[in-house]
Amino acid sequence: MATLNPMLLAALLWVPVRTLTCYGDSGQPVDWFVVYKLPAQSGPGKAAQSGLRYKYMDKDSGGWRDGAGSINSSAGAVGRSLLPLYQNASQLAFLLYNDQPPKPSGAQDLSSRGHTKGVLLLDQEGGFWLVHSVPRFPPPTSSAAYSWPFNAQTYGQTLLCVSFPLTQFWKIGRQLTYTYPLVYDHKLDVAFAQKVPYLEDVVKGHHVLHGPWNSSVTLTSKAGDTFQSFAKFGKFGDDLYSGWLAEALGSNLQVQFWQNSHGILPSNCSRDQHVLDVTQIAFPEPAGPAFSATEDHSKWCVAPEGPWVCVGDMNRNLREEQRGGGTLCAQLPALWKAFQPLVKAWKPCGENRTFFP
């Protein structure tokens, strides 16, 4: 019986190694994407009625597209990107953090921690940072499967995934010592802890111990796009947007955030840069949909004159002035062109009425 050449045999048995990166709705690696989970009742069809429909965009999508199926499917951008968590993660490091952790994790909600939600998933070459607004998400790795929480179906949510080389996770880890996240699941062996020591500090619940109580760093994605991370500790003692972000970006900001809580901060025009509370959101016609900010749990802001867009995890209310949290910003034309038209109405400063342009 003839034997196969060893090199030929190796080629036949070779399986491509999955690149640890954000994956788009097409199933292909992307440098970054944004998913906007739409509120329930925002259109015809069962998925829309149950709050499982979403809009998707990335650098090359040409703006918003209807999501590829349901948000609770592992075939979509979010589920596919998180899939390594629920498969063989032996060679990976990850941190799952959420101020409202999933019930199966056993972690308790702690208001002393930052109001911050996200996922870090990396290997020895890099990975991604998923910044989002979704309570009880994602499931801990012990669940062995991706799923979307029932509690997050009713309201709108945003998720920003950015692929980064390993070198950037040192800076990301340092930012998390300001936001002070509640880590409910993690894997960080010695090799990763030595390369990214700040992540070990975050897992242990350590945080920044002296001022200044805020930090901004520039991050460069795998494809070379520039993002600016803004992070504050609770002792910063001010609103992220009117107390820092608008001035730092040198732009007026229209801010979408959860407006069904106590102590909502009104639009603020006390400084050179104005911060305006969004009240109505609408995606382009004919597909739409349009909805009120009270139906939307997402957290993002846009400079109406350009070029900034930020997606994060902080609201504008009195309580969160005393909590850690942050946002991830960029001056990417594709991102700004997608978000700027979404704002259909906002609250002017010092008035109860809503302004419709």
Side-chain angles (χ1 to χ4, degrees), residues 14-30 33 73-89 91-92 121-128 146 161 163 222:
W14 180 77
V15 177
V17 176
R18 176 186 168 98
T19 302
L20 197 56
T21 181
C22 304
Y23 276 77
D25 257 4
S26 66
Q28 298 302 309
V30 295
F33 71 72
S73 168
S74 58
V78 178
R80 189 183 299 270
S81 298
L82 293 176
L83 207 56
L85 285 172
Y86 309 107
Q87 297 179 336
N88 182 10
Q91 303 300 313
L92 307 179
L121 181 58
L122 58 151
D123 60 17
Q124 295 292 343
E125 295 183 358
F128 64 79
Y146 168 80
C161 185
S163 306
K222 284 185 177 180

Side-chain angles (χ1 to χ4, degrees), residues 40 54 71 92 97 119 123 223 231 250 267 281-282 286-287:
Y54 67 94
I71 191 69
L92 307 179
Y97 60 92
V119 174
D123 60 17
S267 295
I281 301 97

Side-chain angles (χ1 to χ4, degrees), residues 36 39 154-157 255-261 264 276-282 290-300 315 342-347 354 356:
Y36 206 129
T154 302
Y155 299 105
Q157 309 286 351
V255 186
Q256 160 56 35
F257 62 97
W258 180 239
Q259 298 188 28
N260 296 335
S261 59
I264 294 298
L276 305 170
D277 294 351
V278 172
T279 58
Q280 295 285 336
I281 301 97
F291 45 90
S292 166
T294 58
E295 301 174 77
D296 196 353
H297 191 256
S298 67
K299 294 103 171 57
W300 54 268
N315 300 303
L342 297 185
V343 178
K344 292 305 175 187
W346 62 88
K347 281 282 183 69
T354 293
F356 294 85

Side-chain angles (χ1 to χ4, degrees), residues 86 96-98 100-102 105 107 118-119 132 136-141 182-186:
Y86 309 107
L96 311 183
Y97 60 92
N98 199 312
Q100 295 176 277
S105 70
V119 174
H132 67 86
R136 320 291 181 200
F137 178 84
T141 53
L182 175 59
V183 177
Y184 64 88
D185 197 4
H186 74 278

Side-chain angles (χ1 to χ4, degrees), residues 73-264:
S73 168
S74 58
V78 178
R80 189 183 299 270
S81 298
L82 293 176
L83 207 56
L85 285 172
Y86 309 107
Q87 297 179 336
N88 182 10
S90 61
Q91 303 300 313
L92 307 179
F94 62 84
L95 271 70
L96 311 183
Y97 60 92
N98 199 312
D99 56 284
Q100 295 176 277
K103 296 298 185 183
S105 70
Q108 300 296 313
D109 299 13
L110 292 174
S111 59
S112 60
R113 293 299 187 99
H115 190 278
T116 185
K117 302 172 174 69
V119 174
L120 295 182
L121 181 58
L122 58 151
D123 60 17
Q124 295 292 343
E125 295 183 358
F128 64 79
W129 188 11
L130 179 69
V131 178
H132 67 86
S133 65
V134 189
R136 320 291 181 200
F137 178 84
T141 53
S142 59
S143 67
Y146 168 80
S147 63
W148 186 264
F150 178 78
N151 63 275
Q153 292 184 16
T154 302
Y155 299 105
Q157 309 286 351
T158 39
L159 306 96
L160 168 63
C161 185
V162 184
S163 306
F164 289 111
L166 184 63
T167 54
Q168 300 299 286
F169 284 90
W170 187 93
K171 292 192 282 187
I172 294 171
R174 184 174 181 272
Q175 290 297 87
L176 296 186
T177 65
Y178 285 83
T179 60
Y180 194 28
L182 175 59
V183 177
Y184 64 88
D185 197 4
H186 74 278
K187 180 178 180 294
L188 192 70
D189 63 24
V190 175
F192 282 105
Q194 290 176 342
K195 289 184 177 181
V196 196
Y198 279 117
L199 293 186
E200 186 173 28
D201 291 339
V202 172
V203 167
K204 291 179 178 179
H206 298 168
H207 57 75
V208 62
L209 296 174
H210 54 79
W213 302 111
N214 57 332
S215 171
S216 172
V217 299
T218 300
L219 301 170
T220 304
S221 71
K222 284 185 177 180
D225 280 344
T226 299
F227 290 81
Q228 198 75 18
S229 167
F230 292 85
K232 77 177 186 78
F233 188 56
K235 288 186 177 181
F236 181 71
D238 203 347
D239 175 48
L240 172 69
Y241 305 94
S242 60
W244 179 27
L245 189 61
E247 182 179 2
L249 299 180
S251 300
N252 297 332
L253 295 176
Q254 295 169 327
V255 186
Q256 160 56 35
F257 62 97
W258 180 239
Q259 298 188 28
N260 296 335
S261 59
H262 297 293
I264 294 298

